[in-house]
Amino acid sequence: MGEFTALLHIKHGIIQAPMAGGAVTPELIAAVSQYGGLGSLASGYVKPENMRQQIRQVKQLTSRPFQVNVFVPEPIPDVKTEDLAFWEKRLFVLPKAHMMPSEQGLWDDFEQKINILLEEEVPILSFTFACPNEQTIHCLKQKGIFLIGTATTKEEALLLEEKGMDAIVLQGSEAGGHRGTFLPSKGDALQGLISLISDVKPLCRVPLIAAGGITDQAGIKVALQLGADAVQIGTRFLASQESAAADVYKKAILQAEGSETAITRLFSGKRARGIVNQWMEEERVHEDRVLPYPVQHVWTTPMRKAAAAEGNSDQMALWAGQGIGRIHSILTVEDIMHELTQT
Ligand SMILES: Cc1cc2nc3c(=O)[nH]c(=O)nc-3n(C[C@H](O)[C@H](O)[C@H](O)COP(=O)(O)O)c2cc1C
């Protein structure tokens, strides 16, 4: 772990997981970095210029290193008109027709973000949902930027290393939020963290970052003993005072048990782990009609936003990992970092 922390100029091998969706504030990111971890700004669902503003806000709050995470665009399969109509009947709030996402739009957004990240001289970037293309990797490496990929299987980890990633997040099936899976798998690609690290460790030379269900020192210790060089922790930081997650969301994290989360495609079209709520229970039977990512995400956005505004957790995406049963209080980031690192 010592070498990896030295490489990133951080004191503790604790990375606050990038979490798209608005919960991660510049204050949260800066506090994690300030207390010796690596704060992460999530650029998913954020407009490029807003990402720039957030980067500048974090820089004003801390001079410590932090990273920015970017979604790598994927092809959007054709959407059947009857499937759109099916969901329009089921959604509590209707999407507007002009909201349909395009693949070109995703690529434009990605390229604008990469250009801004270069302009803002962000030293560490992480990616999820795919491996960036060779041209992007080459351009970023030429500028000396440290690149982190996300893998959910041994095959993905090997590919990311071969393509030039400097470190790899191993996302176990316990993890909250979206799966980073990007290669086809014979099975479900839901490998638990212990077995994933154990499989990848003998094969990869780059540093490995363990993610999924880690909330305390015991979890960190196991991950490091198995050979991880650092950990990436998400849900524990959602339940912090600096997090902008809605109060009902924080309350749900405090109340739910580790067994009360499930993987669903119902909110976004891509598999993600969240606390089971009414929408997940009632719509589970329609998983096979779900629109491809990110169309389902865009289609459910007005409903999720309205639910959040009303303080109604029934139709919100309550992304959370399997470690929630051990989260009992909303602490400051300072207290969380202290709990995770005190000897
Ligand atoms: C609300 C939420 C949003 C997330 N958004 C992202 C994201 O934008 N990019 C990313 O690489 N991972 C994202 N993740 C996954 C995390 O990087 C990480 O794998 C996960 O939080 C680890 O599991 P834990 O939540 O049990 O600690 C998200 C997770 C959560 C809970």
Side-chain angles (χ1 to χ4, degrees):
M1 178 160 118
E3 270 176 47
F4 183 63
T5 49
L7 204 59
L8 297 190
H9 305 290
I10 55 178
K11 187 169 173 207
H12 307 294
I14 296 175
I15 301 176
Q16 160 252 313
M19 291 184 278
V24 180
T25 57
E27 289 73 20
L28 197 168
I29 299 162
V32 172
S33 292
Q34 204 59 32
Y35 293 104
L38 186 74
S40 306
L41 196 156
S43 76
Y45 316 131
V46 173
K47 292 206 171 74
E49 279 306 322
N50 291 348
M51 177 191 78
R52 189 201 295 275
Q53 287 318 116
Q54 289 183 16
I55 292 170
R56 291 184 177 175
Q57 282 172 335
V58 178
K59 282 184 182 166
Q60 275 179 355
L61 295 167
T62 182
S63 55
R64 312 278 316 147
F66 66 97
Q67 66 158 342
V68 176
N69 175 261
V70 186
F71 291 173
V72 182
E74 310 151 81
I76 307 178
D78 289 338
V79 178
K80 292 191 202 128
T81 321
E82 63 262 35
D83 286 340
L84 286 176
F86 175 83
W87 285 104
E88 277 159 20
K89 278 195 214 119
R90 311 203 65 76
L91 290 165
F92 288 76
V93 184
L94 282 183
K96 297 192 179 78
H98 69 264
M99 292 168 94
M100 178 62 86
S102 77
E103 214 171 302
Q104 187 57 46
L106 297 183
W107 279 109
D108 290 348
D109 176 89
F110 178 78
E111 276 157 27
Q112 280 179 50
K113 282 178 180 162
I114 295 294
N115 287 335
I116 292 175
L117 291 163
L118 287 167
E119 283 164 18
E120 297 296 321
E121 299 180 352
V122 176
I124 309 165
L125 296 186
S126 73
F127 297 92
T128 189
F129 300 161
C131 183
N133 60 36
E134 276 173 30
Q135 202 190 336
T136 309
I137 295 175
H138 179 72
C139 166
L140 295 170
K141 289 199 109 172
Q142 269 196 331
K143 303 277 178 192
I145 298 174
F146 191 88
L147 303 180
I148 305 177
T150 303
T152 62
T153 62
K154 181 170 83 181
E155 291 70 27
E156 289 171 352
L158 288 170
L159 182 95
L160 291 169
E161 181 176 70
E162 188 195 314
K163 296 285 181 191
M165 292 292 120
D166 298 306
I168 298 168
V169 172
L170 293 178
Q171 189 189 39
S173 57
E174 303 91 336
H178 282 103
R179 307 291 303 144
T181 305
F182 60 93
L183 288 180
S185 168
K186 262 194 193 174
D188 57 12
L190 288 173
Q191 201 171 0
L193 188 56
I194 289 183
S195 108
L196 184 58
I197 307 174
S198 307
D199 278 0
V200 175
K201 183 63 189 171
L203 304 173
C204 282
R205 276 161 299 150
V206 296
L208 301 175
I209 301 159
I214 300 174
T215 57
D216 51 26
Q217 286 202 21
I220 296 176
K221 200 169 160 193
V222 170
L224 299 183
Q225 271 173 352
L226 288 168
D229 296 273
V231 295
Q232 179 157 297
I233 297 181
T235 308
R236 174 62 273 198
F237 286 108
L238 278 181
S240 67
Q241 287 185 15
E242 290 86 343
S243 148
D247 287 344
V248 278
Y249 189 177
K250 289 185 182 175
K251 198 168 155 203
I253 292 175
L254 296 183
Q255 287 175 346
E257 292 299 332
S259 58
E260 290 169 352
T261 68
I263 301 267
T264 182
R265 290 190 304 124
L266 285 164
F267 286 107
S268 71
K270 186 188 277 296
R271 291 186 307 170
R273 182 176 292 285
I275 300 168
V276 175
N277 62 357
Q278 192 186 317
W279 169 259
M280 277 169 73
E281 275 185 324
E282 286 180 355
E283 302 301 321
R284 191 173 308 193
V285 288
H286 302 304
E287 279 265 358
D288 58 341
R289 298 292 300 266
V290 162
L291 306 166
Y293 180 84
V295 183
Q296 183 85 4
H297 168 84
V298 171
W299 247 235
T300 63
T301 296
M303 176 184 82
R304 288 182 286 111
K305 276 194 175 160
E310 288 164 11
N312 164 15
S313 61
D314 291 342
Q315 281 99 38
M316 289 167 65
L318 304 170
W319 301 142
Q322 288 181 330
I324 42 172
R326 295 182 300 278
I327 302 174
H328 303 297
S329 49
I330 307 294
L331 301 178
T332 60
V333 168
E334 179 182 2
D335 287 341
I336 294 173
M337 286 300 291
H338 185 67
E339 271 194 7
L340 296 174
T341 59
Q342 70 185 337
T343 45

